[in-house]
Amino acid sequence: MLEVDSISVNYGPVRAVHSVSLTVEEGEIVALLGPNGAGKTSLLSAIIGLVPVAEGTISFQGQNINRLDTESRVERGLSVTPEGRHIFANLTVEENLILGAASRRDKDGIARDLETYLDMFPILRERYTQSGGSLSGGEQQMLAVVRSLMSGPKLLMLDEPSLGLAPRIVDQIFKLISGLRDRGLTILVVEQNAQEALKFADRAYILSTGNLEFSGTAEELRTSADLMKAYIGEGVA
Amino acid sequence: MSAPALDRAPGRRRLWHIDGARTLRSLRGGMIIAVFAVTFGLLIMLFGEPYQVRLAVAAYVNLIIVIGLQIFMGNSNVANLSHSGFVGVGAYITAIFAAPAMIKQTLIPNAPWGIDEVQLGVVAAFIVAVGITGLVALLTGLVLVRLSGIAATILTLAILVIFHGIFVNWVDLFRGTQAFYGIPKVAGIKTMLVATAVVIVIARLFKDSRIGVQLRASATNMLAAEAMGVNIRALRLIAWVLGGMVCGVAGSLYAYYIGTVNARAFFFHAAFLTLSMHILGGMRSVTGAVIGVALISVTMELVRLAESGPVILGVQMPELLGLSGLMLGVIIVLVMCLRPDGLMGGLELDEVIRRYVKRGRN
Amino acid sequence: MQYVVEQALNALSIGAEYSLLALGLAIVFSIMGLVNFAHGEMIGVGGYIMYAMTLFGMGELWMILPVCLLTVVITAVVLERVAFRPVRQAPATTGLLTAFGVSIILQNVFLLGVSPRPKTVPAVSVLNTTVDIGSYTFTILQFLEAGVTAIAIVLLVIFMKRTKVGLAMRAAAYDFTTVRLMGMRANRVIATAFAISGFLAGIAAIFFIARRGAIDPFMGLVPVLKAFVACVLGGFGSLPGAVVGGLVLGILEVVLIIVLPDVMAGMRDAAVFFIVGAILVWRPQGLLGKKTELGDKTA
């Protein structure tokens, strides 16, 4: 579904991503792991078109999307839930969700999706008319995910969904994510918390200082203590 | 950039700490720019027609103003539009103290504090004018430095309007919209050249001084700099007062050259003209001020010819009032869209020369 | 009593004019951080198009008002496309200086194209006729200013709350990148912001010209300065702040007209700015503004 072919990303004179290739097949959950500053967010930003690609190509559903702007990529079915959630704190939960569907024109479809997701995430229905800023961290993360879903994506990319959340909430979030896969969604999840991510992922890539260090099944990575130690570090147990 | 930004806990060291070698390099750099700036004037003084000398004097007055502007704006990165007001303060105070008492008794017979009876020497009046301009800058600066970014710029606009309002409405002291004449015409192109050289060196020394370096570092990220213990308000205040005084110098010399002062000369038109000169050359560069003033002065003179409806090949062209203003606007927009750092970027003449020489050697 | 009521409506209507202009500035600033100094020239654009129509015998009120609004909206959108889009990513100072440039260009286009001398638009001046209600004397214009501005503000609030673009504009003031991640076109959001700011400026233009009776190339300067001051007063970028700032400014001016002796009438603008400066010393972030913290989007 998504094919990233040896792309590089520069921030001014600094090269954040060096010739990285990865693929995401339909229906998969793929984890993109790696320490802070590895270039994971840069890679996502390049895939969604917020930063230009210096080299390489990005294809989505067999079509090169290098030259499309962010908005068009969202229309085609890519969606990013940004790191740090970036909820519009000055808008209500409802308004946040409506804005999530900004790229769509099918009114009925939007209303139907809204109902479905509010059933899946009842807490959002409870908070429906509150401002986004008044939500707790976990609630904001759910809102952020649902807001991305409202665009009706084919590929959902989550940037650090567990960041800054309590372990119990992290569990909940990941359960919800794997629930989304059961609904037929393809997911690329960027995580520092490898342990959690690997519980649900089918395959994983490890990025370190802008280079791809490993690619394989989540199973391989989970069972190989050496690999884990080498790339993820011992700190995360 | 010759000076390393923010080396070692900057807030803890004395502001006026002097690093010998660096100061010397800065001084030499300033002198190179000064020589560069003054050369044109010398040539015109020696070989030019009287009208060319007149134009040159006007250009040098503008250059001093732009240098004054550069000292604050170039280092703090806060756009300032009140500078023309400070030029006005310098000019009016000079007029008030230097014009003969006899003339003043007809011009401003109701002046407060019996000021119409006071008459100072030329130099004394100059010093008083610059001093008072500095004082006014200090008072306005105390308010200004409390604001940052856009709010500060808007306050500078307000300051310009307030000054203009005072000039035009305090008739007893400033003669309102009428011209204040009778100022001894003692300044000529020589005075302008000397003053220009001096303020250029001062501006360059300030730019490379600890204050200037910290101010420029803080301009990029004010809150971060504050967190590092840099007292930005104090730094900005120093730059503001120094820049204001340089504008006061320009005003005073202008008054001594032209002999007449009128509030119209210190309002938006003048402010925009000098601002566009500053932008074209590059705000962060003292050399840029020289280049911006030179280019725009020449362009404006050519446009003004077209504006007044010249006779070209025996055909009387129509008057095109507004053409010079239009040019100014176009220059500003083009520079901002294409080269927002101005022609010089942040570089100085001596730095360009050094680079060039280095490249030649390799 | 009569005097108080008349002056109160006067303050309200002057304040409404400033609010309209200030709102336009605040909308654009909140979304893209641009301080649009050329906003005042929209009054000139509206004024000269109405003047031109009068010249060509189309000076009826019902003809010139819609054309005025439409022209100003189009001008605002075109300026965004031509002059402000290239500096969209640039620091605030670059945008501000660009806007200065645009402002000078427009002023001098008026100067070149028409005349430095003031011109009149008779049809609009008719709005300034006085009416007596009981023993009170008002002008039609004062009611229009207060009423139309109130309606415009209500419509704006509805637009910002009920439409997708409106939501996006509010969200963009908070976080533009994320708005783009929603698939909302940045260009569309910004063009809408300029169109709205142009529309409000078009209304303000009609009022300003009706009140003053004449147009000249540099007439936009003082109003835009006042609008800026209103914005700073209310907290730059805050829409409610712009409205409140405009009203406070209107009240301040009327109070100064009453308080200042006639000989000092010319000092009114200076006095207004002086008082605003004093307010800012007390509250640098404006009346409704929040203090900026590290990492905030700052002006």
Side-chain angles (χ1 to χ4, degrees):
Chain A
M1 178 178 256
L2 177 76
E3 272 170 62
V4 173
D5 188 14
S6 46
I7 66 167
S8 301
V9 178
N10 297 337
Y11 280 109
V14 184
R15 175 151 285 199
V17 174
H18 300 266
S19 188
V20 168
S21 300
L22 62 81
T23 55
V24 181
E25 299 300 333
E26 196 154 354
E28 273 189 319
I29 295 187
V30 174
L32 183 57
L33 310 172
N36 218 347
K40 297 171 302 205
T41 298
S42 304
L43 188 55
L44 273 202
S45 300
I47 294 172
I48 199 69
L50 285 178
V51 297
V53 171
E55 288 157 23
T57 56
I58 304 170
S59 327
F60 183 63
Q61 295 186 309
Q63 276 178 318
N64 184 326
I65 56 167
N66 271 34
R67 298 181 68 88
L68 294 182
D69 57 13
T70 300
E71 293 91 333
S72 310
R73 296 187 200 198
V74 175
E75 277 163 18
R76 295 235 176 157
L78 287 155
S79 185
V80 165
T81 308
E83 178 183 348
R85 306 182 279 271
H86 288 263
I87 290 300
F88 302 120
N90 55 338
L91 268 55
T92 65
V93 169
E94 176 186 17
E95 289 168 338
N96 268 281
L97 294 177
I98 293 173
L99 210 47
S103 59
R104 290 167 67 179
R105 307 203 181 288
D106 55 327
K107 274 202 171 140
D108 298 339
I110 295 174
R112 205 167 44 238
D113 279 4
L114 193 58
E115 275 310 307
T116 317
Y117 293 128
L118 287 178
D119 286 341
M120 270 177 80
F121 301 84
I123 187 74
L124 294 182
R125 200 190 286 282
E126 234 170 82
R127 302 265 186 267
Y128 204 49
T129 54
Q130 290 184 13
S131 79
S134 71
L135 268 54
S136 72
E139 290 165 357
Q140 287 195 0
Q141 186 62 58
M142 285 179 212
L143 177 57
V145 173
V146 177
R147 190 180 58 182
S148 297
L149 291 171
M150 286 303 293
S151 70
K154 296 171 181 125
L155 172 63
L156 177 65
M157 293 177 276
L158 300 157
D159 197 353
E160 306 276 7
S162 74
L163 195 74
L165 299 180
R168 191 173 50 84
I169 311 283
V170 173
D171 265 354
Q172 227 178 326
I173 296 278
F174 275 103
K175 276 207 189 85
L176 291 168
I177 291 171
S178 55
L180 292 172
R181 186 244 308 264
D182 300 338
R183 300 173 56 86
L185 207 63
T186 310
I187 294 167
L188 175 62
V189 57
V190 165
E191 260 302 335
Q192 279 189 66
N193 188 343
Q195 232 76 10
E196 279 295 333
L198 289 174
K199 282 185 201 161
F200 303 96
D202 303 308
R203 288 189 303 114
Y205 293 89
I206 295 177
L207 213 56
S208 176
T209 59
N211 293 296
L212 202 57
E213 299 285 349
F214 169 88
S215 79
T217 65
E219 186 69 33
E220 273 177 73
L221 202 52
R222 226 170 13 227
T223 49
S224 159
D226 288 347
L227 273 173
M228 279 296 260
K229 211 184 236 169
Y231 296 119
I232 314 293
E234 305 162 84
V236 274
Chain B
M1 211 110 356
S2 58
L6 284 177
D7 47 340
R8 278 167 291 161
R12 309 206 182 283
R13 287 171 63 174
R14 279 183 309 141
L15 280 181
W16 297 99
H17 174 86
I18 288 170
D19 174 335
R22 210 161 77 181
T23 310
L24 208 64
R25 193 168 55 209
S26 175
L27 185 67
R28 202 176 52 209
M31 279 151 85
I32 291 174
I33 305 168
V35 168
F36 168 68
V38 164
T39 309
F40 299 104
L42 279 176
L43 290 174
I44 292 174
M45 189 174 91
L46 294 175
F47 307 110
E49 308 277 332
Y51 89 93
Q52 288 168 329
V53 175
R54 263 201 312 280
L55 292 176
V57 170
Y60 279 101
V61 170
N62 280 333
L63 179 53
I64 300 174
I65 298 172
V66 175
I67 297 286
L69 195 54
Q70 198 277 333
I71 291 176
F72 178 74
M73 199 167 148
N75 291 302
S76 73
N77 200 24
V78 173
N80 174 17
L81 282 141
S82 64
H83 55 286
S84 285
F86 290 98
V87 178
V89 174
Y92 269 114
I93 301 296
T94 304
I96 289 166
F97 283 101
M102 242 172 57
I103 295 183
K104 277 194 289 194
Q105 266 144 21
T106 42
L107 291 180
I108 46 168
N110 303 319
W113 316 300
I115 239 171
D116 53 321
E117 285 160 25
V118 183
Q119 185 187 338
L120 297 181
V122 168
V123 177
F126 171 81
I127 294 169
V128 170
V130 176
I132 291 182
T133 315
L135 202 64
V136 173
L138 181 68
L139 291 176
T140 51
L142 286 172
V143 181
L144 185 102
V145 295
R146 294 176 60 88
L147 302 179
S148 66
I150 296 305
T153 299
I154 291 163
L155 187 64
T156 67
L157 280 169
I159 291 172
L160 183 64
V161 176
I162 292 173
F163 281 13
H164 187 74
I166 292 173
F167 293 153
V168 171
N169 289 288
W170 196 348
V171 180
D172 287 348
L173 188 59
F174 297 114
R175 280 181 59 78
T177 47
Q178 283 175 293
F180 198 129
Y181 53 87
I183 309 152
K185 295 188 188 181
V186 291
I189 186 156
K190 276 183 218 158
T191 325
M192 298 304 168
L193 293 180
V194 173
T196 302
V198 172
V199 297
I200 284 178
V201 171
I202 290 176
R204 179 61 193 276
L205 283 174
F206 182 78
K207 180 185 171 186
D208 293 335
S209 73
R210 187 151 282 276
I211 304 172
V213 171
Q214 287 190 11
L215 198 52
R216 276 180 289 143
S218 72
T220 20
N221 195 338
M222 204 169 147
L223 289 158
E226 232 160 32
M228 290 178 70
V230 177
N231 186 348
I232 295 160
R233 286 187 183 180
L235 298 180
R236 286 204 173 162
L237 189 61
I238 293 168
W240 176 258
V241 173
L242 186 60
M245 285 170 80
V246 170
C247 287
V249 169
S252 182
L253 295 181
Y254 167 78
Y256 277 137
Y257 170 72
I258 205 111
T260 317
V261 171
N262 191 313
R264 252 180 323 176
F266 313 116
F267 208 32
F268 275 100
H269 185 77
F272 280 131
L273 177 68
T274 38
L275 185 71
S276 55
M277 291 169 166
H278 187 33
I279 292 169
L280 176 63
M283 295 197 302
R284 287 181 291 122
S285 162
V286 179
T287 314
V290 180
I291 290 175
V293 170
L295 286 178
I296 291 196
S297 297
V298 172
T299 314
M300 282 301 117
E301 204 40 45
L302 295 177
V303 175
R304 223 165 273 143
L305 274 178
E307 202 169 37
S308 58
V311 179
I312 295 173
L313 300 174
V315 182
Q316 171 72 47
M317 304 303 276
E319 247 190 23
L320 293 170
L321 218 55
L323 199 61
S324 57
L326 190 65
M327 282 294 296
L328 271 191
V330 171
I331 290 174
I332 294 180
V333 173
L334 286 182
V335 172
M336 283 298 117
C337 291
L338 304 176
R339 209 182 153 88
D341 281 336
L343 295 175
M344 290 301 293
L347 288 177
E348 299 294 355
L349 184 61
D350 50 306
E351 290 160 352
V352 175
I353 294 173
R354 203 175 308 138
R355 270 189 194 187
Y356 191 75
V357 170
K358 221 180 251 172
R359 200 176 302 159
R361 267 195 220 126
N362 294 347
Chain C
M1 180 60 207
Q2 181 184 348
Y3 188 64
V4 173
V5 172
E6 284 175 4
Q7 289 304 331
L9 182 64
N10 197 25
L12 190 64
S13 53
I14 292 178
E17 283 187 1
Y18 295 144
S19 295
L20 282 175
L21 272 190
L23 261 179
L25 288 175
I27 288 171
V28 167
F29 178 80
S30 70
I31 289 173
M32 56 184 290
L34 173 75
V35 178
N36 186 6
F37 193 82
H39 197 55
E41 265 50 70
M42 296 301 110
I43 298 175
V45 170
Y48 280 105
I49 192 76
M50 291 196 286
Y51 167 72
M53 288 182 71
T54 311
L55 271 191
F56 293 110
M58 294 181 289
E60 301 292 325
L61 211 49
W62 63 270
M63 289 197 254
I64 57 176
L65 294 192
V67 174
C68 167
L69 290 176
L70 191 69
T71 313
V72 175
V73 168
I74 293 173
T75 310
V77 174
V78 168
L79 284 180
E80 188 275 318
R81 181 70 195 82
V82 179
F84 298 126
R85 196 171 290 182
V87 296
R88 198 185 277 174
Q89 312 291 339
T93 305
T94 307
L96 173 75
L97 295 174
T98 309
F100 278 136
V102 171
S103 164
I104 300 173
I105 290 175
L106 286 173
Q107 287 172 357
N108 286 286
V109 166
F110 303 146
L111 193 61
L112 263 174
V114 191
S115 157
R117 275 185 292 279
K119 300 288 177 191
T120 57
V121 185
V124 177
S125 304
V126 170
L127 297 176
N128 213 1
T129 26
T130 51
V131 284
D132 293 321
I133 301 172
S135 57
Y136 299 101
T137 306
F138 302 109
T139 65
I140 303 171
L141 185 63
Q142 287 174 322
F143 286 108
L144 282 175
E145 281 169 337
V148 172
T149 304
I151 295 169
I153 291 173
V154 170
L155 288 179
L156 181 65
V157 170
I158 293 174
F159 179 84
M160 298 290 262
K161 286 203 181 277
R162 291 273 176 270
T163 68
K164 236 182 239 180
V165 184
L167 290 181
M169 283 167 63
R170 280 164 61 209
Y174 197 76
D175 183 344
F176 208 140
T177 307
T178 308
V179 171
R180 296 190 60 204
L181 282 181
M182 303 295 109
M184 190 51 134
R185 301 212 161 266
N187 286 344
R188 187 171 155 215
V189 176
I190 289 174
T192 313
F194 269 86
I196 291 175
S197 96
F199 186 76
L200 297 175
I203 300 175
I206 294 165
F207 291 154
F208 268 98
I209 292 157
R211 205 173 250 276
R212 282 150 195 78
I215 49 175
D216 69 77
F218 303 102
M219 67 178 303
L221 184 63
V222 173
V224 82
L225 281 180
K226 300 269 177 70
F228 271 135
V229 169
C231 281
V232 173
L233 206 51
F236 218 112
S238 150
L239 305 196
V243 176
V244 171
L247 291 178
V248 169
L249 200 60
I251 294 167
L252 211 58
E253 279 196 26
V254 170
V255 168
L256 282 173
I257 293 172
I258 299 168
V259 174
L260 283 184
D262 277 351
V263 280
M264 289 182 69
M267 295 291 268
R268 212 180 302 136
D269 284 350
V272 168
F273 286 134
F274 186 80
I275 292 171
V276 168
I279 293 177
L280 289 176
V281 173
W282 164 57
R283 272 184 80 88
Q285 71 275 29
L287 295 174
L288 301 187
K290 285 196 216 84
K291 253 188 114 70
T292 48
E293 300 288 344
L294 196 63
D296 279 5
K297 191 159 134 189
T298 50

